[in-house]
Amino acid sequence: TFARNGDLLLAACVNSGIGSAIRAPAVGKTVILRSSDRGRTWRQQGVLEHTGAEGYDPRDGAVEGMYMTKSGRLVLIYYIFQQQISTNDPGSPYYVPGGNNFRFAHLSSRQWDAYSDDKGKTWHYVPMDLSPFKSMYAHACSQIFEEKDGTLVASFRGHLTQEELDS
């Protein structure tokens, strides 16, 4: 996103041990970077330390959709996505041998709005209630838009029921 003076701002997740068999201590963070020369060089602006929730590892946290509001507040979506891939026989009519065939037995998330009033140097969390959705997966679909009245809107993928997830 852009700062008010036109500088580029970037949120880069730095998670320890994701996907590894041996995991480092539960640490994850998002580094906020700033460029004043159209992305040629970058300097660190601040750090968003990842938080966790019971049963959710902060190393699995991710951010999406950083946006500077009209008031100058920097906002982004921070979430932890938890999935369990089904080990059932690939009897689905959508199964493609050798393909990327995930059938989830479990899918859930915890999500927060994170905001900064000092250009990304310090951050605060506000839990997001997605009811009636059971999960949020914001990867690649969470551009944040600001309505005229200041309401912030973002898109995401999710499911409403276990039956919907199973289908």
Side-chain angles (χ1 to χ4, degrees), residues 61-128:
V63 299
E64 296 290 339
M66 190 165 63
Y67 176 75
M68 176 80 66
T69 67
K70 292 177 221 165
S71 70
R73 177 173 276 180
L74 197 58
V75 298
L76 53 78
I77 296 170
Y78 167 69
Y79 70 105
I80 303 174
F81 186 65
Q82 192 176 75
Q83 63 191 17
Q84 179 184 355
I85 297 173
S86 176
T87 56
N88 292 346
D89 182 39
S92 166
Y94 306 109
Y95 182 80
V96 177
N100 193 0
N101 300 285
F102 294 124
R103 289 201 51 105
F104 297 108
H106 171 82
L107 197 62
S108 63
S109 64
R110 294 296 178 263
Q111 54 282 325
W112 298 263
D113 168 49
Y115 69 91
S116 173
D117 290 322
D118 60 5
K119 302 175 185 158
K121 293 176 185 156
T122 59
W123 290 87
H124 310 279
Y125 289 100
V126 177
M128 293 174 68

Side-chain angles (χ1 to χ4, degrees), residues 107 109 111 128-136 156 158-162 164:
L107 197 62
S109 64
Q111 54 282 325
M128 293 174 68
D129 180 7
L130 299 176
S131 299
F133 285 90
K134 306 295 183 197
S135 70
M136 164 194 240
F156 63 90
H159 71 285
L160 294 168
T161 65
Q162 185 63 40
E164 182 179 60

